[in-house]
Amino acid sequence: MTEREQRLAQTFVALSDTLVDDFDVMNFLSLLTERAAELLDVTAVGVIVSDQRGGWHPAAASNEDVRLLELFASQTREGPCQDCIRDSAAAYSADLETDRARWPSFAESAAKAGFRAAAAVPMRLRRETIGALTLLNRNAVGVSQSDAELGQAFADVATVGILHQRAAARKETVSEQLQATLHHRVVIEQAKGVLAESGDLSMQNGFELLRDYARSNGQGLTDLAHSIADRTIDPHDLLTAYRLQQLSS
């Protein structure tokens, strides 16, 4: 087994544990997008989900760079994500410049953010498409067949994670579960902002600090974000740990 195959097997084992009592969907989606970007031949990965009222919103990304998040948000109006959701099938562009007439606004936004190729695979629950996994590349290189199949597997795992069995046990609707996921994303944005402002950090560093602190202390990412956003936890406690880590590395 190659190193990549080992890493892939470890990833699916890590992502399979969605039925534990303390399952945190944002921890899950963060890990999924990071590992997908690492294991697929792409630069960045994002999850877009439905709010069940006709709107589509970014839920997680492999990188919290502001330009990347803005690009994911822009394709909720036009781009491979919308085609993927409409047709409930994968949508690809190996060269967005060549496909500019297909998605003019998205192609322009992608070019400004430094991306040349894009693809989206559907997140499906039976006949209903609840979102899409978007893959971006800085080079004009299309997604290979094997990576497309693996990307679909990641999308399927993301769907299971969002709508895992606890929702059915509580008789929640798909709509309620998706709304909860989007609410969690808003709280994480608030916590990132608090940490960035308090510690003079970038939004990406603020997210990494939040994520790493949650993982190292066995906390849910969403729970920690709530505590930072409402100041139940002093953000300087996390910033102190961050600075000590910087000094030791």
Side-chain angles (χ1 to χ4, degrees), residues 153-226:
F154 276 116
D156 294 341
V157 171
T159 306
V160 172
I162 291 175
L163 306 174
H164 68 93
Q165 193 170 343
R166 286 194 306 160
R170 295 197 303 267
K171 300 187 185 303
E172 288 183 354
T173 66
V174 170
S175 176
E176 288 170 337
Q177 191 71 357
L178 290 170
Q179 276 304 131
T181 299
L182 294 174
H183 172 70
H184 296 333
R185 179 70 210 183
V186 170
V187 173
I188 287 171
E189 288 296 321
Q190 293 172 343
K192 279 168 49 183
V194 170
L195 290 170
E197 182 178 357
S198 299
D200 193 24
L201 305 175
S202 68
M203 294 295 275
Q204 171 65 14
N205 286 339
F207 176 78
E208 290 173 353
L209 172 56
L210 188 71
R211 177 200 63 197
D212 294 347
Y213 190 91
R215 290 178 182 174
S216 62
N217 289 276
Q219 291 182 257
L221 182 61
T222 306
D223 290 339
L224 179 61
H226 271 289

Side-chain angles (χ1 to χ4, degrees), residues 82-113:
Q82 283 301 304
D83 286 14
C84 168
I85 290 165
R86 182 194 65 218
D87 300 331
S88 195
Y92 304 94
S93 173
D95 189 342
L96 288 167
E97 182 61 34
T98 301
D99 285 339
R100 185 173 285 269
R102 185 180 179 190
W103 302 313
S105 178
F106 175 76
E108 182 177 353
S109 297
K112 289 179 179 178

Side-chain angles (χ1 to χ4, degrees), residues 23-91:
F23 173 75
D24 185 301
V25 68
M26 299 312 294
N27 262 339
F28 171 83
L29 292 178
S30 172
L31 177 63
L32 184 142
T33 53
E34 289 167 19
R35 294 291 181 87
E38 172 191 342
L39 293 164
L40 302 176
D41 189 20
V42 296
T43 307
V45 177
V47 171
I48 310 294
V49 298
S50 167
D51 63 9
Q52 298 296 289
R53 293 193 295 267
W56 299 89
H57 306 274
S62 57
N63 187 297
E64 295 290 312
D65 178 77
V66 173
R67 289 192 305 168
L68 178 61
L69 294 178
E70 288 176 347
L71 179 58
F72 282 136
S74 75
Q75 73 149 347
T76 62
R77 299 182 293 274
E78 175 198 277
C81 175
Q82 283 301 304
D83 286 14
C84 168
I85 290 165
R86 182 194 65 218
D87 300 331
S88 195

Side-chain angles (χ1 to χ4, degrees), residues 113-175:
F115 294 101
R116 293 284 307 280
V121 291
M123 293 165 53
R124 290 186 296 250
L125 176 67
R126 301 181 184 91
R127 296 182 179 180
E128 182 177 7
T129 300
I130 65 168
L133 189 73
T134 301
L135 315 174
L136 298 172
N137 230 330
R138 293 202 180 279
N139 300 317
V141 177
V143 177
S144 68
Q145 181 64 30
S146 60
D147 273 358
E149 292 173 355
L150 185 53
Q152 186 61 67
F154 276 116
D156 294 341
V157 171
T159 306
V160 172
I162 291 175
L163 306 174
H164 68 93
Q165 193 170 343
R166 286 194 306 160
R170 295 197 303 267
K171 300 187 185 303
E172 288 183 354
T173 66
V174 170
S175 176

